Amino acid sequence: MSRKALLIVDVQNDFCEGGSLAVTGGAAVAQGITEHLKESRGEYELVAATRDYHVDPGSHFAAEPDFKDSWPAHCVAGTPGAELHPDLDRRNLDEVFDKGQHAAAYSGFEGRSSSGQLLGDALRGAGAEEVDVVGIATDYCVRATALDALKAGFKVNVLQDLIAGVAPGTSEAALREMATAGAHTV
């Protein structure tokens, strides 16, 4: 059996109901991940959360966003919107990796811990060979994180009952793309 890590992608206030870029089902994902960890924490060598954490992301924010490359302001560093959702129990987390401080960043593999360590290095340091990916949004940051995990050589499982996407069509396309690339969608 391979050693596993759990990657919790961007389960933040701004991406949950009531946030500036709310995804339907975001709060339920936060609750579901907490329940999953109550039962399964012992299966993971590392439990890592990622956060969008924008200081000055340049053209990533726009007054008239295209919702592809530019977005309304969200997850601004130091604001409540950037914080992890309160229904996600932080006591189960080993580390938080912030991404996107000065540019758009979709993949958790662009994130760094408070000590500056990259997510991939932390996974390798924990001896992880396999990652379970959960979080928000299926069609953006979950997709990018899972694809980068595959490129980095990890076996990837996307836990479909613990993700939420922006739109059904793009979420389905993202799941197909991840599966085609080698991820197991379970």
Side-chain angles (χ1 to χ4, degrees):
M1 190 161 133
S2 63
R3 296 173 62 154
K4 288 200 320 187
L6 180 67
L7 301 183
I8 303 168
V9 179
D10 298 1
V11 180
Q12 296 169 258
N13 291 325
D14 270 352
F15 296 139
C16 294
E17 291 82 356
S20 66
L21 280 177
V23 173
T24 301
V29 165
Q31 293 167 343
I33 293 168
T34 293
E35 291 303 312
H36 174 71
L37 282 168
K38 284 180 185 174
E39 300 167 10
S40 305
R41 178 60 179 96
E43 295 177 20
Y44 298 111
E45 304 298 324
L46 177 71
V47 176
T50 67
R51 291 191 307 183
D52 250 14
Y53 204 71
H54 300 304
V55 175
D56 181 11
S59 63
H60 186 55
F61 287 176
E64 294 182 27
D66 64 13
F67 296 96
K68 183 177 179 230
D69 297 312
S70 61
W71 303 86
H74 61 279
C75 299
V76 175
T79 68
E83 294 308 313
L84 295 171
H85 193 276
D87 290 340
L88 177 64
D89 188 349
R90 289 187 68 135
R91 293 176 295 184
N92 289 310
L93 305 181
D94 294 311
E95 190 65 72
V96 176
F97 293 81
D98 291 334
K99 59 189 176 62
Q101 287 87 337
H102 300 285
Y106 294 93
S107 171
F109 281 78
E110 298 173 77
R112 292 187 179 272
S113 68
S114 59
S115 67
Q117 185 177 41
L118 288 166
L119 175 59
D121 293 337
L123 291 168
R124 284 184 275 284
E129 301 162 338
E130 181 175 354
V131 295
D132 288 349
V133 181
V134 299
I136 306 168
T138 306
D139 30 0
Y140 292 94
C141 296
V142 167
R143 174 192 160 276
T145 300
L147 293 174
D148 278 357
L150 287 165
K151 288 176 191 166
F154 296 100
K155 179 180 175 189
V156 175
N157 307 300
V158 179
L159 307 186
Q160 291 188 65
D161 57 342
L162 297 176
I163 57 176
V166 172
T170 52
S171 293
E172 291 292 326
L175 287 168
R176 283 192 304 274
E177 181 183 3
M178 290 183 275
T180 299
H184 297 96
T185 54
V186 295

